[in-house]
Amino acid sequence: MTTVENVSQTGTDYLYQLERAGARFHERTAQREETCRTIDRRGVLYADDPDRVTKRLARLNADWSLARSVERMETVPRTTTGSTLPLGPNAFGADVLGLERLMGRNDLTGVAFLEGGHLASRPIGRIALKVPGGVRHGTGFMVSPSLLMTNNHVLRTADEAARAVIEFNFQAGLDGRPLNPAVFPLEPQKFFATDRDLDFTVVAVAGRNQANEELAEFHWLPLDGAEGKAVLGEFVNIIQHPNGEPKQLALRENQIVDVLDRFLHYVTDTAPGSSGSPVFNDQWEVVALHHSAVPKTDGEGRLLAVDGSLWQPGMGEHRLAWKANEGVRISSVLRTLSRLTLTGTAARLRDELFRAPGTPQTAPGIPPGPTDTVSVVEDAARRDLDAALLNLRLGEELVYYDAPADAAARDAYYAGVDAGADGEELRRALTELLEETHERRPSYKPSRMVYPWVDLHPDRQLRSVYSGRTFGAEEFIRADTAAETARLRGLQEFLLRESSVGPAELAAELDALEASLPFNCEHVVPQSWFHEREPMRGDLHHLFACEVACNSFRSNIPYMDFPQFDEVHREDCGLREDNGFEPEHHRGAVARATLYFLLRYPKQVGDTKELTRDRLPSLLAWHEREPVTEYELHRNAAIAEIQGNRNPFIDHPEWAAAVDFSEVWA
C-alpha cells in the first residue's frame, strides 16, 4: 500500500484516509474475528461490552433483564446457584422477532422505518466543488439549522468550501423522474471547522438561495454524543450520493464488526459507502460519518479496482475494490468541536449544533421545538410509556411458561440447599441464597415489568390479585403513566410554590401525591411497614396487579383468615375488619409472596400493627388450601430472569411446613 509520506507528498487526501483506515482494520483483525464468532454463536447482546449494550437497550426503552428473557431460546442448566433460566447458545431464533426487529437483526420491521428514513433523507445533499478541469462531488448533511457536515477530504479548506454548493433533492421522484435540485451556497466566512485525522468538515450554509428557497425546508439531523446508538452486530443504514450520482440508500447491509475509540468498522457484501454520508441506526439516529473504504490490495500492497486491475484516483471511489467500510464516530466529532475556541457568530452557530439533540423531536429530520417545564415532564412520561409498551410487545413473543427449562433452573438454583436440615438451618440457608442471588434490583415501576410480563396470566391478561377482575396490560400501563405524570407535575408545582423545602417536607409531599394518585399495583407487604425502602419496594416477588379501589380497600391492614368468610357480606375485593383483611381471590399466591418476604427480609416487619407472629397460621393455611398454579410458576420464572432469585415456596411448597419462621420477626 502507498506510504503516508508518499501520500502526503502527492497531496491526495483520499488516499491518505484509505491507508489509515486499512491500517486500523488490519491491526484489529484478531478482535474483529472474535467479535464475529460471538455474534454468530451467541447473538448481538453478547458481542459488545455489557455497559454499552445496557445503554443501547436503555436508549431503545428496553430493559436488559427482559431482553435476556426475550433472547432465551434453548435453555441449559448452569452450575452456579446464582443462575436462573440461562440463555441458550442460539440467540435470536424464529420466535423472538420482537427483539430482532428492535436491534435490526431481522428483515421484518414496521413501516414507520420507511417513513423515518424518508424524513432522515431530506437534510442529505450532494456537494459539488468546482476544481480545475471539472467538478468534484461528495455527500453532506445538515446537522443544525445552519451547519453542514462532510469529510475533510471532500472540503479541505475554507477556500474550497467557498467554491462549493450543496444540492438537496438531487434524486428521483415517485414517478422515476428527476426532481428539481435546490442548490445552496456555502458560507465558510461564518463558520468553518475541519480535522484531517478525524476526516470531518463542518461549514455554514446560506439560509436562502437564488431561487428564494429556504434552507429550513430541508431540516437537519440532530447529533448526539451519548453512548447507546449502536452496538457490535447491529446493521446500519447509509444514505448517500455515490460518485456524485442521485441519492441512494444502503439499508441494513452494513454490519458493525468493530468499535474503536474514534471509528467504527462495518462490513457488507454488496454496498459501499460514499464520502461524507451519515451512517444511521434503525431509529435513524446518526451513528457515524462515513469517510473511507477499507481497500483490497495486491501482493505488493497496491490498491485494486473492482475488475482486478490497479486502481487509480481518477477512476473514482465506486471503482475501488474494498472489503469493509469505516466511519468516524459522531461522539468523536462532537468532542473535537466542543474543544474549539470560538467567538461571535461562529460560537453561536457551534452552540446551536450542540443544542439540537437535547430538545424533543417528533421524527428524524424534523427540527425540535421549544421546551419548557411541562414538556420535560411529558417527555419523561412518554419515554416510560414507550418502554412499557415495548416490553409488552416483546413479551408477546415469549413462551408463557417453559416447564422443562424452569425445572432445570430450579434444580440448579437449590443445588446447595440441604432439604433435610432442621427448620432453623433451612431458613438460614434459604435467606442467604435469596439475598446472594438477588443480583438485579429494579426500582418500583410496575408498568415496566409487572404489567407487561411478570403478572400476566396464561391468557396474557391481568387479574386483580384481590377481586379477580380481568384487565388488559396496556390499560394498567397507560393508567399508571398518567398517574406518574400527574405526580411529577404536582411535585414541580409544589417546588415552585415553596421557596425553601427541607427533606421532611419534600418526603411528606411525595407521600401525599402517591396516596392521591396510586398505581394499580399492590405490595402484599405494605410499603409503610418497611418505610418504602429499596430493594423491598421494587422486589417483584410481592408486587401484583390490583385495581386502585381494591388497593385502597385493603390499605395496610394485615392478612387474616376469617372463619365466617363465606357466610358474611363482603366487598368484591374481600372481607376487611379493623384487625384483618382476607382477599376474595389468590390467597395462596399472596401467602407465598408474604412468606418469601419474611425469608428474604428477616426482622424488617412485625410490630403490633403489622405482620405479627399470630398471622403465620393463616398464611400457612392459605398456602396449603390453594396449590401453586401455572400463573405462579410463570411469575417465579419471569422474576428469576429479572432479579436473579426465586420464591422457594413456589418451587418447593413442602418447605413452608419445614422452615422455622420464629427468628424472622423484628
Side-chain angles (χ1 to χ4, degrees), residues 12-329:
T12 309
D13 286 87
Y14 184 57
L15 287 177
Y16 170 78
Q17 299 298 343
L18 284 175
E19 182 187 77
R20 297 289 296 274
R24 283 187 288 264
F25 192 79
H26 177 72
E27 290 168 1
R28 300 277 297 182
T29 298
Q31 296 95 321
R32 185 175 60 256
E33 290 177 349
E34 178 59 30
T35 293
C36 292
R37 286 193 292 269
T38 300
I39 293 170
D40 291 340
R41 187 174 66 252
R42 301 196 68 198
V44 66
L45 292 180
Y46 296 91
D48 214 324
D49 178 78
D51 184 57
R52 283 177 46 80
V53 174
T54 300
K55 289 176 180 176
R56 178 66 178 134
L57 290 170
R59 195 177 185 92
L60 292 167
N61 284 325
D63 291 282
W64 167 244
S65 46
L66 188 62
R68 292 178 67 230
S69 298
V70 173
E71 193 191 32
R72 185 182 76 249
M73 286 298 300
E74 297 179 7
T75 56
V76 293
R78 293 183 188 175
T79 57
T80 59
T81 58
S83 60
T84 57
L85 290 182
L87 296 168
N90 298 324
F92 301 105
D95 63 347
V96 289
L97 295 180
L99 192 60
E100 288 191 349
R101 293 175 190 143
L102 181 70
M103 302 292 287
R105 297 281 299 173
N106 186 270
D107 291 337
L108 298 176
T109 191
V111 295
F113 174 77
L114 298 178
E115 296 173 3
H118 170 70
L119 293 171
S121 72
R122 282 187 58 76
I124 301 168
R126 183 179 75 162
I127 292 174
L129 168 63
K130 293 180 181 179
V131 295
V135 178
R136 191 169 75 213
H137 291 110
T139 303
F141 55 102
M142 299 302 298
V143 293
S144 81
S146 304
L147 298 180
L148 172 82
M149 181 177 290
T150 186
N151 290 139
N152 166 271
H153 75 262
V154 173
L155 295 176
R156 294 172 293 186
T157 66
D159 288 342
E160 285 189 345
R163 303 197 308 271
V165 296
I166 179 74
E167 301 170 316
F168 298 107
N169 283 345
F170 184 63
Q171 62 194 74
L174 290 176
D175 58 2
R177 298 179 180 178
L179 300 178
N180 293 321
V183 182
F184 290 81
L186 307 187
E187 296 182 332
Q189 71 277 14
K190 291 184 178 178
F191 189 98
F192 184 85
T194 193
D195 187 291
R196 191 177 188 228
D197 287 337
L198 285 180
D199 198 18
F200 77 82
T201 290
V202 177
V203 60
V205 183
R208 190 179 294 273
N209 63 12
Q210 290 183 344
N212 207 32
E213 296 169 302
E214 292 190 4
L215 179 65
E217 294 179 8
F218 297 93
H219 310 305
W220 70 89
L221 298 170
L223 304 183
D224 190 344
E227 285 193 351
K229 295 185 291 296
V231 294
L232 291 169
E234 281 195 78
F235 288 86
V236 290
N237 312 290
I238 304 175
I239 302 179
Q240 57 193 309
H241 287 278
N243 200 42
E245 298 171 4
K247 191 182 296 179
Q248 299 171 35
L249 300 89
L251 296 180
R252 289 184 167 180
E253 292 183 312
N254 283 273
Q255 185 178 36
I256 299 174
V257 294
D258 203 4
V259 178
L260 288 71
D261 182 50
R262 302 193 298 172
F263 299 92
L264 293 179
H265 289 152
Y266 32 99
V267 298
T268 177
D269 294 331
T270 57
S274 180
S275 294
S277 304
V279 180
F280 296 97
N281 61 19
D282 270 3
Q283 291 69 50
W284 297 105
E285 297 174 305
V286 181
V287 173
L289 168 67
H290 178 77
H291 84 119
S292 179
V294 176
K296 290 183 178 179
T297 58
D298 65 9
E300 299 179 28
R302 295 176 296 182
L303 304 179
L304 295 176
V306 290
D307 61 1
S309 64
L310 294 181
W311 181 84
Q312 301 297 327
M315 294 180 177
E317 290 181 46
H318 67 298
R319 298 290 298 165
L320 181 72
W322 56 281
K323 54 188 176 184
N325 282 320
E326 184 178 79
V328 185
R329 293 177 64 180

Side-chain angles (χ1 to χ4, degrees), residues 501-513:
V501 178
E505 292 84 359
L506 183 60
E509 181 65 19
L510 287 171
D511 288 344
L513 287 168

Side-chain angles (χ1 to χ4, degrees), residues 84 401 406-407 409-411 413-414 433-434 541 592 623 628 632-633 636-637 640 645-655:
T84 57
Y401 178 63
D406 190 34
R410 178 197 62 207
D411 292 345
Y413 185 79
Y414 298 106
L433 178 62
L434 294 180
H541 281 293
R592 284 179 279 274
H623 168 68
V628 173
E632 285 183 85
L633 293 171
N636 196 32
N645 62 358
R646 303 176 66 92
N647 185 334
F649 304 111
I650 293 174
D651 291 324
H652 290 280
E654 71 278 8
W655 285 353

Side-chain angles (χ1 to χ4, degrees), residues 626-648:
E626 296 186 5
V628 173
T629 63
E630 184 185 25
Y631 156 67
E632 285 183 85
L633 293 171
H634 154 77
R635 270 184 58 93
N636 196 32
I639 294 169
E641 275 291 333
I642 296 167
Q643 290 188 180
N645 62 358
R646 303 176 66 92
N647 185 334

Side-chain angles (χ1 to χ4, degrees), residues 565-578:
F565 184 81
D566 292 328
E567 287 79 34
V568 301
H569 174 74
R570 58 186 184 276
E571 302 289 339
D572 291 340
C573 308
L575 175 61
R576 186 189 76 175
E577 294 185 358
D578 290 342

Side-chain angles (χ1 to χ4, degrees), residues 520-560:
N520 290 284
C521 184
E522 169 71 340
H523 291 79
V524 299
V525 178
Q527 299 185 68
S528 61
W529 292 4
F530 51 82
H531 307 291
E532 301 182 358
R533 295 193 304 270
E534 297 287 5
M536 290 87 84
R537 190 173 192 237
D539 191 325
L540 295 168
H541 281 293
H542 79 129
L543 301 185
F544 292 80
C546 181
E547 73 271 41
V548 169
C550 282
N551 195 329
S552 300
F553 179 75
R554 186 257 170 127
S555 186
N556 62 353
I557 295 176
Y559 293 125
M560 174 180 284

